[in-house]
Amino acid sequence: MLPAVRRDPIGVFMRAARQFGDVTYFKIGPRRGFLVTNPDDVRHVLQDNARNYHKSPLYEKLRMFLGNGLLTSEDDFWLRQRRIAQPAFHRQRMAAIAGVMAQLARDAAARWRPLAAAGRPVDIDEEMMRLTRTVVLRALLGADLGPFTSTIDDAWTIINQHVGESFWSLGLDTLPTLKYRRFKAARAVLRGAVDHVIAERRRNPSGSADLLSMLMSARDEETGESMSDDQLRVEVTTFLLAGQETTSLALTWTWYLLSQHSAARDRLEAEIDTVLDGRPPDYSDLANLPYLRMVVDESMRMYPPAWGFSRQALADDTLGGFRLPRGWLAFVIPYVMHRLPAYWQDPDVFEPERFLPDRSAERPKFAFIPFGAGPRRCIGDQFALIETQLSVATFAQQYRLHLQPGHKVDPWPLITLRPRFGMPMTIERRT
Ligand code: HEM
């Protein structure tokens, strides 16, 4: 299935699930494995028997680029890094961070005023990427990119495309082609930016308990040593990548869906206008904006930014009654899970109301897994949810976004699910 999977992974997995049900055997290049779509089997792989699984060799590309950090490492080393980072994501920290998020969304919204007046389409994908990157930088790393601010956008796009496109490929993609040279140059920009962030903090140590200070002050229990510079660089790059990209895509797909569904958009605007009465949203408002949360969930259901992931079995296992031999892969594909007709009525229809409590009660928890599950569940899930809700509320209070007429929207499954041709939208001012 390698050529087919490389061409259209989502199509292949969707058709397999439709045709074969809970478990489908796959041979992809030299790798063999099962696509599992029964929520019980997904729970087994990600949670109940998580000890029997490592991230699959498909992550090797990501590891080559990122290094061995929280997203890509395993076992004791992973656990140590996770424990170091975890306090930065505690509930109490989130409340403080939400203030920074709300302020940055307000600043970005203010910058849209002239764009709205000019009436020219803006690439919302790029706008959201910039916003979420700034949020990670300020809220977690207490930094900005100094001289790298202007070069990071292009570098980011090149890296993403290169790592994403090579995800399913078998070669190492290190031939000295023009494309590879561009990738290397982009990687140097990113590395420069990360080094800048770390050097700035060393120059001006901050009193704040943010993620960067946790990473920098962590000491090994046995040796008392701090994290090496290399490891610090790996973790900062990991958070910059994992925190910006996915959240930004959740926002971009939300704007797209709202632009296509005026009834949902009207209902969202009405909720925001009634609850906020014109003042900017903050963290404490989120509990009173239930429809906003349903919109965000429904957007991540239809277009899960982390659309698919995979694991490798360390020992033989049984999935759905079939033996999965050691070394084989288990594919867990949120995009497929989120559109299974058994759990989602009219799965291709955007309908935030399906997340109303009484309509969700019967649904298995593992049918909705935008943040993964089990020990390797996203560490930034609450961070991302707060950020998306505050950002949507801030922008939707002031603007309506319209997709440029005739623009083709094509979900592009790289490592994350991106709009292949961007998301050009015009900004209409509401207030
Ligand atoms: C809508 C936004 C987000 C989505 C959909 C998302 C999704 C995911 C998923 C599915 C995983 C698990 C992957 C696997 O099991 O193979 C994951 C892991 C991770 N995410 Fe997120 N994420 C989001 C936002 C964030 C944010 C904001 C941060 C950091 C600020 C972050 C940092 C991480 C890290 C470090 C991991 C690895 C955790 C570990 O293995 O211990 N993510 N994310």
Side-chain angles (χ1 to χ4, degrees):
M1 295 302 288
L2 182 62
V5 168
R6 282 182 75 171
R7 214 172 28 246
D8 177 20
I10 286 187
V12 166
F13 289 131
M14 285 295 280
R15 283 192 293 279
R18 216 172 292 138
Q19 198 171 344
F20 302 113
D22 287 353
V23 181
T24 308
Y25 162 74
F26 267 91
K27 181 170 184 299
I28 302 178
R31 313 256 174 228
R32 288 154 197 269
F34 294 166
L35 164 70
V36 285
T37 61
N38 185 314
D40 289 342
D41 294 331
V42 170
R43 192 186 57 223
H44 181 82
V45 171
L46 296 183
Q47 186 171 295
D48 299 351
N49 201 22
R51 279 174 170 280
N52 187 45
Y53 291 90
H54 275 175
K55 298 218 166 175
S56 89
L58 293 173
Y59 286 76
E60 211 41 56
K61 294 274 159 44
L62 203 55
R63 202 171 289 131
M64 270 171 56
F65 160 64
L66 271 181
N68 202 36
L70 188 52
L71 191 62
T72 48
S73 59
E74 301 288 353
D75 302 325
D76 292 350
F77 183 76
W78 162 76
L79 188 59
R80 201 185 82 187
Q81 298 303 96
R82 177 107 186 182
R83 285 192 176 139
I84 292 171
Q86 197 75 58
F89 293 90
H90 277 169
R91 202 169 266 277
Q92 300 92 312
R93 281 292 307 160
M94 285 302 116
I97 283 177
V100 179
M101 291 169 174
Q103 181 61 50
L104 291 171
R106 283 201 293 279
D107 294 350
R111 279 195 303 274
W112 278 12
R113 301 255 135 164
L115 300 177
R120 264 185 292 108
V122 176
D123 193 338
I124 289 300
D125 185 28
E126 279 173 21
E127 288 286 315
M128 294 297 115
M129 214 55 100
R130 209 167 300 134
L131 171 65
T132 57
R133 179 166 63 241
T134 314
V135 169
V136 172
L137 280 162
R138 297 273 170 80
L140 289 178
L141 305 171
D144 56 43
L145 291 185
F148 296 92
T149 308
S150 56
T151 44
I152 197 81
D153 273 337
D154 286 345
W156 203 259
T157 310
I158 293 168
I159 290 167
N160 204 305
Q161 199 160 333
H162 183 88
V163 179
E165 283 178 345
S166 61
F167 196 54
W168 295 102
S169 75
L170 302 171
L172 292 181
D173 299 319
T174 52
L175 293 174
T177 55
L178 177 63
K179 216 171 158 190
Y180 185 64
R181 283 206 301 274
R182 282 179 64 212
F183 167 67
K184 273 183 42 181
R187 201 173 54 183
V189 170
L190 179 61
R191 186 177 169 137
V194 168
D195 284 348
H196 171 83
V197 167
I198 297 171
E200 279 298 300
R201 179 63 64 93
R202 290 226 160 99
R203 252 196 302 281
N204 305 303
S206 108
S208 108
D210 67 7
L211 177 69
L212 186 55
S213 50
M214 276 166 199
L215 296 172
M216 288 176 80
S217 63
R219 294 285 177 273
D220 189 286
E221 271 176 21
E222 280 162 25
T223 64
E225 279 176 24
S226 58
M227 216 179 278
S228 71
D229 274 5
D230 273 350
Q231 192 61 39
L232 192 57
R233 197 182 283 132
V234 169
E235 299 300 0
V236 170
T237 314
T238 298
F239 278 101
L240 209 45
L241 174 98
Q244 142 181 346
E245 168 88 12
T246 41
T247 318
S248 138
L249 291 170
L251 285 165
T252 297
W253 289 117
T254 304
W255 295 124
Y256 164 64
L257 286 162
L258 288 172
S259 78
Q260 304 301 299
H261 298 90
S262 52
R265 187 195 55 202
D266 290 351
R267 184 165 170 193
L268 177 67
E269 288 174 358
E271 180 181 86
I272 289 170
D273 294 350
T274 312
V275 173
L276 300 177
D277 198 18
R279 62 181 172 76
D282 66 30
Y283 185 49
S284 62
D285 293 313
L286 297 185
N288 301 319
L289 296 165
Y291 193 69
L292 170 64
R293 174 62 192 268
M294 287 190 257
V295 165
V296 168
D297 279 348
E298 177 68 344
S299 153
M300 287 195 295
R301 180 189 72 81
M302 294 197 75
Y303 298 108
W307 65 273
F309 36 91
S310 51
R311 297 287 191 265
Q312 184 170 36
L314 301 178
D316 293 0
D317 199 2
T318 303
L319 291 177
F322 296 95
R323 193 174 73 95
L324 181 84
R326 182 172 83 101
W328 285 30
L329 310 187
F331 294 99
V332 176
I333 312 291
Y335 190 98
V336 172
M337 299 303 296
H338 295 177
R339 293 185 188 234
L340 290 173
Y343 310 111
W344 310 97
Q345 199 184 353
D346 299 326
D348 296 332
V349 174
F350 176 72
E351 196 199 353
E353 289 79 0
R354 66 172 86 241
F355 282 96
L356 280 167
D358 59 333
R359 288 185 57 190
S360 311
E362 299 286 293
R363 192 178 300 134
K365 206 169 120 217
F366 283 75
F368 185 58
I369 46 167
F371 294 107
R376 302 304 297 254
R377 183 184 163 95
C378 180
I379 197 172
D381 55 356
Q382 291 309 312
F383 184 99
L385 281 169
I386 296 168
E387 182 180 1
T388 39
Q389 291 173 89
L390 282 173
S391 305
V392 171
T394 303
F395 290 110
Q397 188 178 40
Q398 302 178 42
Y399 304 102
R400 262 185 194 174
L401 299 182
H402 305 279
L403 185 67
Q404 192 182 14
H407 181 77
K408 184 169 153 49
V409 174
D410 184 21
W412 190 20
L414 298 174
I415 295 181
T416 53
L417 190 63
R418 311 190 108 206
R420 190 187 295 266
F421 309 111
M423 196 65 79
M425 299 183 105
T426 44
I427 303 171
E428 178 198 348
R429 216 170 133 172
R430 287 186 63 221
T431 52

